[in-house]
Amino acid sequence: VSGAGAAALAWALLAWALLSPPPVRPQPQPQPHRDRDVQEKEAQFNTTYIDWVDANLLNIYAFNHSVRRNRTEGVRVSVNVLSDHKDRPVLFVVRQKEAVVSFQVPLILRGLYQRKYAYQEVSRTLCQPQTKAEVETQHFYVDVSTLSLNTSYQLRVTRVENFVLRTNERFSFNATAAQPQYFKYEFPEEVDSVIVKVTSAMAFPCSVISIQDILCPVYDLDNNVAFIGMYQTMTKKAAITVQKKDFPSHSFYVVVVVKTEDEACGGALPYYPLSKDASPDEPVDQHNRQKTLEVMVSPAITSEAYVRSVLFCLGIFLSFYVLTLLIACWESCRQHKRKGLLAAMDSPSLDTGHSRSMPDSFLNHGPYDSYGYGSFGNGSSSSTEGITDSLGSAEVSYSYVGQEQFKRRTPSAPMRPLSIAMGERSLENVAGRPRMDSLSSVEEDDYDTLADIDYDKNVIRTKVCHPPALPAAPRWPGEPLTPLSFQQYLCVADLARKDKRVLRKKYQIYFWNIATIAVFYALPVIQLVITYQTVVNVTGNQDICYYNFLCAHPLGNLSAFNNILSNLGYVLLGLLFLLIILQREINYNRALLRNDAHALECGIPKHFGLFYAMGTALMMEGLLSACYHVCPNYTNFQFDTSFMYMIAGLCMLKLYQKRHPDINASAYSAYACLALVIFFSVVGVVFGKGNTVFWIVFSVIHIVATLLLSTQLYYMGRWKLDSGILRRILHVLYTDCVRQCSGPMYVDRMVLLVMGNIINWSLAAYGLIVRPNDFASYLLAIGICNLLLYFAFYIIMKLRSGERIKLIPLLCIISTSVVWGFALFFFFQGLSTWQKTPAESREHNRDCILLDFFDDHDIWHFLSSIAMFGSFLVLLTLDDDLDCVQRDKIYVF
């Protein structure tokens, strides 16, 4: 070939190489695949089939059975894989007319922290499709397949006996995590609601009870039982109230599932063995976690029972209104008769033309004579000015409006004997003075800022608070009293010097503050508990709320209406107490308008603000307790106890105010302290369980607060907390205990405070050592113990002072004590406790004991509301025997 021809050939080859398509590589031909063998077998019920399967074999078992419209039969499939191929399980698929159920064996279920548990034996109950024909033959198929080489298994299909539960008949059965059970219940025509009770003699393994509608599929495994319906965990007891209106088919399934772990029921997590060669993802064989249970479905109460229970509740508490009205009418008639008798005794006698005299015993002044209570020298003169002026004597005290303030006088004339009949005492000057004359002319703040008034406080408040137990030394008639006798003992008149109008406004702040607190506290609480109840109704999770499920009667969206209804007593009796206080205040104001001498100068000073606050607190306790019982649990337990703290604090303040009206705490400081208590309650509930640091801090604060309050009470506020407090304490200890062994100046106060410190230090030590789980109740116990101690001290000192307790307060004390005893008995029955898991709490559930509607805790609500109302009446009427006694003859303690 020539050179030109060779070049042309080369160019032609290059062009062909560039333009020709790329060569196609030969595709590998698929290997011929062997078709899977399918073996379909006609199968019979109650027959055990032992067979094998591999990757090339599919076994199909065909079953048929007759379904009747008015009769339901359960069908249960049980399988057991005999070979040990955990990595290649056997798949079982049950094909029905309206549902398909599939599961693998070994069955893998997950627990906490994604732990895996394997089960070789599995049993499932098939969902029963509905039929409209009278009799229908239905077919279902069980397909068995696997990817392992050769796996043997057992298959057995049986009919479930007693698949339909009967009313009021118990049925026992066994269940495991891989062999759940469920049964059907159909509502009778005359039954609108039933209660499903499931019990077991063994607490563990933990199980779940679920109520589901008649739908396919049925969720009956641990990992899906919470998907639908209502459910709750269980150890020994479970109870769910089911209403017919919630199920269109008027029937439901009762599903019982055993959990893979017991942690949800309060049990310990199982030991998770991991060998050196084993993978952390390898499932653990739990072998046989079997539980024997018993189920019974019984009718719940009817609508008539609801009406009967509501009327019963209203009847009990409205009867107190009727009883109060009758007592008020009786008292009014008695007062009218007494006024008529007084008018008749003051009218001139037909024979002599002189007015009749009145004995001391008629006006309740006998008990004071033996202790020198009739002596004018034992009290301050602010309340006896009119009396001493009528006797021609002078006084040592502050003057009233129009006189020279703080002018002191000395006795210029002989005094009368110690015992002076009330009828001989002239109160004309007191009663005849204008009302303004008996009131201080200065405001409370101005009064406290005067230097000489501060000095007088130190003089008056350091008087001895109580006379000796024995009668005073006798004095001859006409013997003058020394100035020391005027200043020897501290009386109510010494601590009732401030302007009554100012004090009235001061104590009314208690009512307005607690009313404001109630509004701002109650509104978010109501919103929160409604949200809780909505979550329970939507999710069906009945472990959220700690009811007494054996006596929880639903109404509307409320799960336990009876626990809410029983709180009605707090509201009604609190309102009744407010009405009683209102009537008393109206009567007292009328007496002031007519310049009644007894209202102006006698008895314990009347301040009603704290009483109004107590009545409001009682009503709010009922409202918030009802809110708590909408969904009781540890996160909202403070709703049930917050106003209990307030009631205890207000009662102690009222007791202290009776004899110390001028130096009682202001509403702002009192509520600030109560807010601090509630703060500690919340912190203790959230963080206090088993927290040593919290208990140490709280015990230290408790002891320090007790010491500071004791000092405040002992010195009646006449001390300072500053940098020199430690130096002054050491000085007092050195002078009183080292240089001279002298007893306390105020013995009675010292006895009370020592006892109070012993009790509080003991409670602090108990809390630090035991560290109770229920911190809120522990804190409430501290308040109640201090209240009872102070009340007992008050009663003892009242009797020791020669005072007496009238019939009405005495009856209130006795009856209230009895009611408190019964109430505490029912309280400590403990029908539920959020200190444990929901399943453990249900072990304490009990049946209703009153009208088949109310349980023990409802009885506690009834009795405690009555007892609190009675306790308030005791505080209200305890010092009624002093209404005709001059305040300078009423001792302070």
Side-chain angles (χ1 to χ4, degrees):
V1 180
S2 63
L9 180 61
W11 282 107
L13 292 174
L14 179 62
W16 176 80
L18 293 175
L19 296 177
S20 63
V24 178
R25 293 182 180 181
Q27 296 294 331
Q29 295 297 324
Q31 296 295 327
H33 181 69
R34 179 183 176 184
D35 293 337
R36 173 174 289 183
D37 295 334
V38 177
Q39 295 184 3
E40 183 171 346
K41 306 175 183 178
E42 293 291 334
Q44 303 295 325
F45 282 83
N46 301 320
T47 301
T48 301
Y49 295 93
I50 301 176
D51 213 335
W52 63 274
V53 69
D54 59 14
N56 299 318
L57 179 63
L58 172 64
N59 291 333
I60 299 177
Y61 297 87
F63 295 86
N64 63 81
H65 66 122
S66 298
V67 179
R68 293 177 175 83
R69 183 174 58 184
N70 297 327
R71 182 180 178 184
T72 304
E73 291 183 347
V75 177
R76 190 167 180 83
V77 177
S78 301
V79 299
N80 182 17
V81 175
L82 304 178
S83 302
D84 189 11
H85 297 291
K86 296 181 180 179
D87 55 337
R88 295 183 180 182
V90 179
L91 179 63
F92 293 84
V93 180
V94 182
R95 294 177 287 127
Q96 298 178 263
K97 180 180 178 180
E98 298 179 2
V100 175
V101 178
S102 63
F103 54 89
Q104 69 176 41
V105 182
L107 179 64
I108 306 298
L109 297 177
R110 293 185 180 272
L112 199 63
Y113 309 117
Q114 296 300 314
R115 298 185 180 194
K116 296 180 180 179
Y117 301 96
Y119 301 90
Q120 296 292 120
E121 298 183 16
V122 180
S123 296
R124 304 290 296 275
T125 303
L126 303 184
C127 184
Q128 297 303 302
Q130 301 295 322
T131 179
K132 297 181 180 179
E134 187 68 28
V135 179
E136 179 182 351
T137 301
Q138 294 185 355
H139 301 270
F140 67 93
Y141 304 91
V142 180
D143 302 345
V144 185
S145 61
T146 185
L147 292 180
S148 62
L149 298 178
N150 192 338
T151 304
S152 59
Y153 61 88
Q154 288 183 353
L155 172 66
R156 183 180 177 88
V157 178
T158 59
R159 289 183 173 87
V160 181
E161 296 181 1
N162 300 316
F163 180 73
V164 178
L165 300 175
R166 295 181 175 86
T167 305
N168 290 326
E169 291 187 12
R170 298 180 181 272
F171 176 68
S172 298
F173 59 94
N174 296 325
T176 67
Q179 299 175 357
Q181 298 268 18
Y182 67 85
F183 306 93
K184 183 179 180 180
Y185 180 80
E186 299 175 349
F187 281 96
E189 290 294 331
E190 68 280 1
V191 176
D192 294 325
S193 63
V194 295
I195 179 169
V196 180
K197 302 178 184 178
V198 183
T199 58
S200 176
M202 50 197 306
F204 299 106
C206 178
S207 56
V208 177
I209 310 303
S210 174
I211 303 297
Q212 301 180 19
D213 201 357
I214 305 296
L215 297 173
C216 294
V218 178
Y219 297 95
D220 58 349
L221 291 177
D222 185 22
N223 54 10
N224 62 17
V225 69
F227 286 179
I228 192 173
M230 300 179 290
Y231 64 94
Q232 57 184 232
T233 55
M234 169 192 166
T235 52
K236 293 184 177 181
K237 288 182 182 179
I240 300 179
T241 300
V242 185
Q243 296 179 289
K244 181 190 291 187
K245 65 180 182 63
D246 297 331
F247 296 91
S249 62
H250 295 172
S251 58
F252 57 87
Y253 286 136
V254 180
V255 184
V256 180
V257 177
V258 175
K259 295 183 69 65
T260 57
E261 296 173 342
D262 298 330
E263 190 270 341
C265 295
L269 284 173
Y271 176 66
Y272 199 67
L274 291 176
S275 62
K276 294 182 180 180
D277 300 331
S279 171
D281 295 331
E282 183 178 353
V284 177
D285 190 356
Q286 284 196 316
H287 303 290
N288 188 20
R289 276 175 58 87
Q290 181 172 286
K291 188 169 187 175
T292 302
L293 304 104
E294 186 177 71
V295 60
M296 184 180 72
V297 183
S298 56
I301 61 173
T302 61
S303 58
E304 289 79 8
Y306 281 85
V307 176
R308 183 171 63 250
S309 301
V310 171
L311 294 178
F312 171 79
C313 189
L314 289 174
I316 287 180
F317 298 112
L318 291 181
S319 64
F320 283 87
Y321 283 77
V322 176
L323 181 61
T324 302
L325 182 61
L326 294 177
I327 293 177
C329 293
W330 173 75
E331 184 69 18
S332 178
C333 295
R334 196 173 68 88
Q335 291 292 337
H336 281 90
K337 290 182 180 180
R338 184 178 181 183
K339 289 180 180 179
L341 181 60
L342 289 174
M345 299 185 74
D346 288 339
S347 62
S349 173
L350 295 177
D351 299 332
T352 63
H354 300 287
S355 61
R356 300 178 177 89
S357 61
M358 201 174 345
D360 273 351
S361 59
F362 182 78
L363 291 177
N364 302 326
H365 288 278
Y368 294 90
D369 297 340
S370 61
Y371 294 105
Y373 275 73
S375 171
F376 292 119
N378 284 347
S380 93
S381 55
S382 62
S383 61
T384 59
E385 179 188 20
I387 300 176
T388 53
D389 285 347
S390 67
L391 297 175
S393 62
E395 69 178 285
V396 183
S397 180
Y398 308 116
S399 60
Y400 293 99
V401 177
Q403 299 177 352
E404 182 183 355
Q405 291 199 6
F406 316 124
K407 180 179 179 181
R408 300 183 179 276
R409 305 176 185 174
T410 56
S412 59
M415 300 292 290
R416 291 197 175 189
L418 290 175
S419 299
I420 300 178
M422 189 68 186
E424 299 175 2
R425 298 173 185 169
S426 174
L427 294 178
E428 294 177 359
N429 292 349
V430 176
R433 284 200 309 268
R435 182 184 173 191
M436 289 293 296
D437 289 348
S438 63
L439 302 176
S440 173
S441 62
V442 294
E443 294 293 330
E444 183 180 5
D445 294 338
D446 297 335
Y447 190 100
D448 286 342
T449 56
L450 297 177
D452 50 353
I453 297 302
D454 281 337
Y455 172 78
D456 191 72
K457 283 183 181 180
N458 293 331
V459 173
I460 290 178
R461 297 184 192 177
T462 53
K463 289 182 180 181
V464 179
C465 277
H466 189 267
L470 297 177
R475 287 183 290 110
W476 293 102
E479 178 184 356
L481 295 175
T482 62
L484 180 61
S485 62
F486 283 90
Q487 302 291 334
Q488 187 175 4
Y489 302 124
L490 183 63
C491 299
V492 170
D494 296 321
L495 299 179
R497 292 167 167 261
K498 294 182 180 180
D499 193 331
K500 297 177 183 177
R501 295 163 300 174
V502 175
L503 289 181
R504 180 179 180 274
K505 292 180 179 179
K506 171 184 176 181
Y507 292 122
Q508 283 295 333
I509 295 176
Y510 275 96
F511 168 69
W512 292 113
N513 277 8
I514 201 170
T516 305
I517 292 171
V519 171
F520 282 93
Y521 196 97
L523 291 179
V525 167
I526 294 174
Q527 182 180 6
L528 179 62
V529 297
I530 290 176
T531 303
Y532 268 118
Q533 185 66 73
T534 303
V535 170
V536 171
N537 295 338
V538 171
T539 64
N541 183 4
Q542 298 201 356
D543 283 353
I544 297 176
C545 306
Y546 287 72
Y547 303 115
N548 175 19
F549 288 91
L550 291 177
C551 188
H553 304 297
L555 180 66
N557 291 327
L558 300 175
S559 299
F561 173 70
N562 54 304
N563 294 148
I564 299 173
L565 176 64
S566 58
N567 288 282
L568 183 64
Y570 297 104
V571 179
L572 293 181
L573 295 182
L575 178 61
L576 177 59
F577 185 72
L578 290 179
L579 295 177
I580 293 174
I581 298 302
L582 179 62
Q583 179 62 30
R584 282 217 168 196
E585 186 177 23
I586 291 174
N587 293 338
Y588 178 69
N589 291 334
R590 288 175 180 173
L592 291 180
L593 288 176
R594 63 175 181 264
N595 289 328
D596 185 274
H598 292 135
L600 290 171
E601 304 292 345
C602 298
I604 298 295
K606 304 293 190 297
H607 300 293
F608 300 97
L610 271 170
F611 281 129
Y612 282 118
M614 290 163 57
T616 305
L618 183 59
M619 295 179 65
M620 287 306 303
E621 170 58 30
L623 175 62
L624 292 179
S625 178
C627 290
Y628 164 72
H629 284 90
V630 170
C631 181
N633 55 60
Y634 87 99
T635 58
N636 58 15
F637 182 64
Q638 56 165 317
F639 304 157
D640 195 24
T641 56
S642 295
F643 275 83
M644 289 185 183
Y645 302 138
M646 290 195 175
I647 289 174
L650 291 174
C651 289
M652 283 190 281
L653 287 171
K654 186 59 191 178
L655 272 176
Y656 189 76
Q657 183 205 54
K658 283 177 172 290
R659 309 277 171 156
H660 312 79
D662 283 0
I663 60 174
N664 203 16
S666 67
Y668 306 112
S669 58
Y671 287 128
C673 293
L674 292 173
L676 189 63
V677 170
I678 295 175
F679 170 77
F680 274 108
S681 173
V682 175
V683 173
V685 169
V686 177
F687 303 106
K689 188 174 182 179
N691 192 334
T692 305
V693 175
F694 168 80
W695 281 101
I696 293 175
V697 172
F698 175 77
S699 299
V700 171
I701 294 176
H702 183 192
I703 293 174
V704 171
T706 302
L707 292 175
L708 293 178
L709 182 60
S710 300
T711 307
Q712 177 75 13
L713 295 177
Y714 185 75
Y715 291 106
M716 290 195 177
R718 309 313 298 162
W719 68 291
K720 294 182 179 179
L721 182 61
D722 52 21
S723 58
I725 184 67
L726 293 178
R727 177 178 55 81
R728 293 195 298 272
I729 291 175
L730 294 176
H731 178 71
V732 171
L733 293 176
Y734 175 73
T735 55
D736 291 356
C737 300
V738 178
R739 294 187 59 183
Q740 58 181 5
C741 186
S742 59
M745 181 178 297
Y746 316 112
V747 178
D748 297 318
R749 270 183 269 174
M750 178 59 71
V751 171
L752 169 65
L753 296 176
V754 168
M755 293 178 61
N757 276 268
I758 291 174
I759 291 177
N760 282 277
W761 286 49
S762 301
L763 289 172
Y766 171 81
L768 187 60
I769 296 172
V770 179
R771 284 176 286 182
N773 294 329
D774 191 354
F775 180 79
S777 298
Y778 166 77
L779 198 59
L780 183 61
I782 294 176
I784 293 177
C785 288
N786 283 276
L787 174 60
L788 293 177
L789 173 65
Y790 190 26
F791 183 74
F793 172 82
Y794 192 94
I795 294 292
I796 293 172
M797 294 301 298
K798 180 178 177 66
L799 298 176
R800 184 169 175 259
S801 300
E803 302 173 12
R804 66 186 184 89
I805 301 176
K806 298 181 73 174
L807 178 61
I808 290 181
L810 182 61
L811 291 177
C812 287
I813 291 174
I814 296 174
S815 58
T816 300
S817 301
V818 173
V819 174
W820 270 124
F822 284 104
L824 292 175
F825 169 79
F826 287 103
F827 174 77
F828 287 112
Q829 295 303 306
L831 302 181
S832 62
T833 172
W834 45 261
Q835 301 175 45
K836 301 180 180 179
T837 63
E840 291 175 312
S841 173
R842 276 184 278 273
E843 294 182 18
H844 304 278
N845 289 177
R846 296 183 185 176
D847 293 322
C848 304
I849 62 172
L850 180 62
L851 300 177
D852 291 329
F853 192 84
F854 299 110
D855 60 14
D856 297 73
H857 198 74
D858 295 324
I859 307 301
W860 150 256
H861 287 161
F862 290 147
L863 296 180
S864 62
S865 61
I866 296 172
M868 285 187 183
F869 177 70
S871 301
F872 288 1
L873 291 182
V874 171
L875 291 178
L876 179 63
T877 61
L878 185 59
D879 290 316
D880 283 355
D881 60 303
L882 304 177
D883 285 345
C884 297
V885 179
Q886 291 289 303
R887 289 172 189 159
D888 60 340
K889 298 166 187 64
I890 303 175
Y891 285 102
V892 173
F893 43 78

